[in-house]
Amino acid sequence: MIVDLPDTTTSKVSKSLVKIREENGVVALGRVLTLVIATTPGIEEEAIEAANDASREHPMRVIVVATDPDEPDDTAPRLDAEIRVGGDAGASEVIVLRAHGPVARDEESLVMALLLPDAPVVTWWPGSAPDVPGTSALGRIAQRRITDASAQPDPQGALKALATSYTPGDADFAWTRLTLWRAQLAAVLDQPPYEPITRVSVTGAVDSPSTTLLAAWLRLQLDTPTEYELTSVEEGSHGIHGVRLERASGDVELIRDVPGIATLRQPGQPQHDVALPRRNLRDCLADELRRLDPDELYGEVIGSGLALLGASEAEGVHT
């Protein structure tokens, strides 16, 4: 069910929510958090769909704040809202706020009256994110702040900016997409022979900040020379291409030549095909919502790990 509230106020939206619950039996009990999605008009539906899917694992209230940063300064103030419940909202209740004019520039006031009481708040920017998420209007009210460097015009530049502005509680989907890669590489290194890694090579597309983060993680964890190569984007070559771990008994290679499938080669063992699909928005969002405390490892990688890669780059290791 979708209830439209044109030219309204947050107070009227809140009262409408109460009325809907009373008339239709929709309850807020069991909602574990409030997810605030900060986006722009026209692209909010993909984020809402991902949130609806993730809500089946994490029942929540979803508040979508859609504002246009390019809107003229003299635009008349106006707030249009939608309330979605039932089949249109998964296991959540979705409030869509489309704000214009001065109203749009006070995002914190827009959502404060609609937050679930005594529940954690997570803010997600599926597209453009503020320069410093932790000090932004919607970032200040959140325990976790989720960005997506790969959605920015310059993904590698966005990753460096996130490292500079990092605040405990920050997260980025470029890191979340590495979960399967990190698990597979860790499993390989847990098997004999237990020889030290002498050199690491990581390759991927230039529009893949995950490639850079994977190299930073390996550099930090293995404390060994690490080189990473970012290639031009060609059809079918997005994301991480592969990893090579060099050691005395021979190289370990995990290469993704086919989308979703990687080939694992190890000395003295048969070749294996490993499922390594690119994780979609729903999977990344659900993964990040499983923890509401700061991701300390991500903080170390985006800070210390990237700094170590930067030192290697200065020495000519990065190609």
Side-chain angles (χ1 to χ4, degrees), residues 28-278:
L29 297 178
R31 305 285 188 242
V32 298
L33 59 91
T34 301
L35 175 66
V36 179
I37 303 176
T39 184
T40 55
I43 65 170
E44 64 268 38
E45 291 302 329
E46 184 180 10
I48 292 173
E49 182 179 355
N52 286 346
D53 288 343
S55 72
R56 293 177 171 84
E57 183 177 341
H58 310 280
M60 57 189 165
R61 172 175 290 178
V62 179
I63 304 174
V64 182
V65 181
T67 60
D68 184 357
D70 299 324
E71 198 172 54
D73 293 337
D74 58 353
T75 301
R78 180 183 174 96
L79 176 64
D80 298 319
E82 286 180 10
I83 299 175
R84 305 181 185 184
V85 295
D88 293 293
S92 63
E93 50 192 4
V94 179
I95 305 164
V96 184
L97 304 175
R98 296 184 175 91
H100 306 275
V103 178
R105 292 188 282 276
D106 192 5
E107 296 175 317
E108 186 174 352
S109 295
L110 278 176
V111 305
M112 286 302 293
L114 302 173
L115 301 178
L116 289 174
D118 303 320
V121 178
V122 178
T123 299
W124 172 31
W125 292 270
S128 297
D131 294 335
V132 185
T135 61
S136 65
L138 295 178
R140 289 193 300 265
I141 64 174
Q143 282 76 32
R144 293 295 304 275
R145 297 164 295 275
I146 305 172
T147 55
D148 191 351
S150 65
Q152 311 309 311
D154 178 8
Q156 299 296 331
L159 190 62
K160 293 179 181 179
L162 288 173
T164 302
S165 66
Y166 175 77
T167 304
D170 289 355
D172 193 271
F173 281 168
W175 173 250
T176 319
R177 293 187 181 101
L178 289 180
T179 300
L180 300 179
W181 282 86
R182 292 194 294 121
Q184 185 61 50
L185 291 170
V188 168
L189 294 177
D190 280 342
Q191 301 172 7
Y194 304 106
E195 298 174 333
I197 303 300
T198 58
R199 180 171 291 273
V200 175
S201 300
V202 181
T203 59
V206 71
D207 66 347
S208 171
S210 296
T211 299
T212 307
L213 282 180
L214 180 58
W217 174 69
L218 289 168
R219 175 66 179 86
L220 187 67
Q221 298 297 315
L222 299 177
D223 191 23
T224 194
T226 301
E227 63 181 32
Y228 66 108
E229 181 180 5
L230 302 176
T231 62
S232 61
V233 178
E234 300 174 359
E235 186 176 353
S237 66
H238 294 277
I240 302 169
H241 297 164
V243 178
R244 185 175 73 252
L245 307 176
E246 300 179 16
R247 55 186 178 188
S249 61
D251 297 350
V252 176
E253 294 183 318
L254 185 62
I255 308 298
R256 185 166 61 182
D257 293 325
V258 179
I261 302 293
T263 301
L264 176 62
R265 302 184 183 94
Q266 303 178 77
Q269 296 191 29
Q271 179 175 297
H272 296 285
D273 288 336
V274 180
L276 283 178
R278 180 178 173 84

